[in-house]
Tab-separated table of all heavy atoms in Angstrom:
chain	number	residue	atom	x	y	z
O	876	CYS	N	132.966	121.063	-25.189
O	876	CYS	CA	133.825	120.445	-24.155
O	876	CYS	C	134.556	121.506	-23.347
O	876	CYS	O	135.255	122.407	-23.896
O	876	CYS	CB	134.863	119.502	-24.753
O	876	CYS	SG	135.914	118.774	-23.509
O	877	ASP	N	134.482	121.431	-21.983
O	877	ASP	CA	135.150	122.424	-21.143
O	877	ASP	C	136.436	121.818	-20.575
O	877	ASP	O	137.016	122.392	-19.656
O	877	ASP	CB	134.218	122.899	-20.006
O	877	ASP	CG	133.779	121.756	-19.116
O	877	ASP	OD1	134.132	120.554	-19.343
O	877	ASP	OD2	132.960	122.019	-18.130
O	878	SER	N	136.855	120.686	-21.070
O	878	SER	CA	138.094	120.012	-20.623
O	878	SER	C	138.957	119.697	-21.792
O	878	SER	O	139.620	118.605	-21.826
O	878	SER	CB	137.793	118.755	-19.847
O	878	SER	OG	136.847	118.997	-18.817
O	879	LEU	N	139.045	120.645	-22.767
O	879	LEU	CA	139.815	120.362	-23.991
O	879	LEU	C	141.300	120.016	-23.704
O	879	LEU	O	141.914	119.288	-24.428
O	879	LEU	CB	139.727	121.546	-24.948
O	879	LEU	CG	138.545	121.535	-25.918
O	879	LEU	CD1	138.614	122.694	-26.817
O	879	LEU	CD2	138.500	120.245	-26.683
O	880	HIS	N	141.772	120.578	-22.589
O	880	HIS	CA	143.168	120.292	-22.244
O	880	HIS	C	143.382	118.850	-21.863
O	880	HIS	O	144.567	118.384	-21.778
O	880	HIS	CB	143.637	121.198	-21.044
O	880	HIS	CG	142.874	120.972	-19.773
O	880	HIS	ND1	141.505	121.287	-19.704
O	880	HIS	CD2	143.267	120.648	-18.597
O	880	HIS	CE1	141.123	121.022	-18.480
O	880	HIS	NE2	142.166	120.647	-17.759
O	881	ALA	N	142.313	118.074	-21.689
O	881	ALA	CA	142.406	116.681	-21.434
O	881	ALA	C	141.910	115.837	-22.592
O	881	ALA	O	141.692	114.651	-22.448
O	881	ALA	CB	141.627	116.288	-20.181
O	882	VAL	N	141.584	116.492	-23.722
O	882	VAL	CA	141.012	115.898	-24.851
O	882	VAL	C	141.804	116.038	-26.122
O	882	VAL	O	142.189	115.110	-26.809
O	882	VAL	CB	139.526	116.383	-25.065
O	882	VAL	CG1	138.951	115.838	-26.366
O	882	VAL	CG2	138.618	115.988	-23.902
O	883	ASP	N	142.093	117.315	-26.383
O	883	ASP	CA	142.679	117.699	-27.671
O	883	ASP	C	144.132	117.274	-27.760
O	883	ASP	O	144.898	117.472	-26.822
O	883	ASP	CB	142.525	119.171	-27.869
O	883	ASP	CG	142.717	119.573	-29.337
O	883	ASP	OD1	143.826	119.468	-29.818
O	883	ASP	OD2	141.720	119.941	-29.951
O	884	SER	N	144.486	116.725	-28.906
O	884	SER	CA	145.893	116.177	-28.987
O	884	SER	C	146.908	117.284	-28.973
O	884	SER	O	148.051	117.029	-28.731
O	884	SER	CB	146.014	115.365	-30.310
O	884	SER	OG	145.662	116.152	-31.446
O	885	THR	N	146.479	118.543	-29.232
O	885	THR	CA	147.441	119.642	-29.152
O	885	THR	C	147.959	119.848	-27.760
O	885	THR	O	149.017	120.473	-27.542
O	885	THR	CB	146.813	120.986	-29.645
O	885	THR	OG1	145.695	121.285	-28.909
O	885	THR	CG2	146.524	120.866	-31.164
O	886	PHE	N	147.227	119.306	-26.757
O	886	PHE	CA	147.653	119.459	-25.353
O	886	PHE	C	148.454	118.192	-24.895
O	886	PHE	O	148.872	118.129	-23.736
O	886	PHE	CB	146.470	119.628	-24.435
O	886	PHE	CG	145.740	120.942	-24.625
O	886	PHE	CD1	144.699	121.057	-25.522
O	886	PHE	CD2	146.162	122.049	-23.909
O	886	PHE	CE1	144.084	122.313	-25.710
O	886	PHE	CE2	145.546	123.271	-24.081
O	886	PHE	CZ	144.451	123.463	-24.949
O	887	ARG	N	148.557	117.219	-25.806
O	887	ARG	CA	149.085	115.912	-25.410
O	887	ARG	C	150.507	115.975	-24.745
O	887	ARG	O	150.808	115.303	-23.863
O	887	ARG	CB	149.192	115.024	-26.644
O	887	ARG	CG	149.539	113.607	-26.380
O	887	ARG	CD	149.463	112.792	-27.696
O	887	ARG	NE	148.089	112.537	-28.094
O	887	ARG	CZ	147.439	111.401	-27.780
O	887	ARG	NH1	148.042	110.443	-27.129
O	887	ARG	NH2	146.171	111.286	-28.166
O	888	GLN	N	151.288	116.983	-25.253
O	888	GLN	CA	152.656	117.090	-24.684
O	888	GLN	C	152.652	117.510	-23.184
O	888	GLN	O	153.645	117.329	-22.466
O	888	GLN	CB	153.520	118.020	-25.517
O	888	GLN	CG	153.224	119.535	-25.365
O	888	GLN	CD	152.057	119.944	-26.187
O	888	GLN	OE1	151.473	119.141	-26.865
O	888	GLN	NE2	151.706	121.258	-26.152
O	889	SER	N	151.438	118.063	-22.779
O	889	SER	CA	151.427	118.417	-21.307
O	889	SER	C	150.901	117.286	-20.434
O	889	SER	O	150.947	117.385	-19.206
O	889	SER	CB	150.463	119.669	-21.106
O	889	SER	OG	149.130	119.281	-21.411
Side-chain angles (χ1 to χ4, degrees):
C876 179
D877 61 0
S878 305
L879 273 183
H880 61 299
V882 172
D883 197 291
S884 57
T885 58
F886 293 91
R887 188 175 285 264
Q888 73 281 0
S889 68

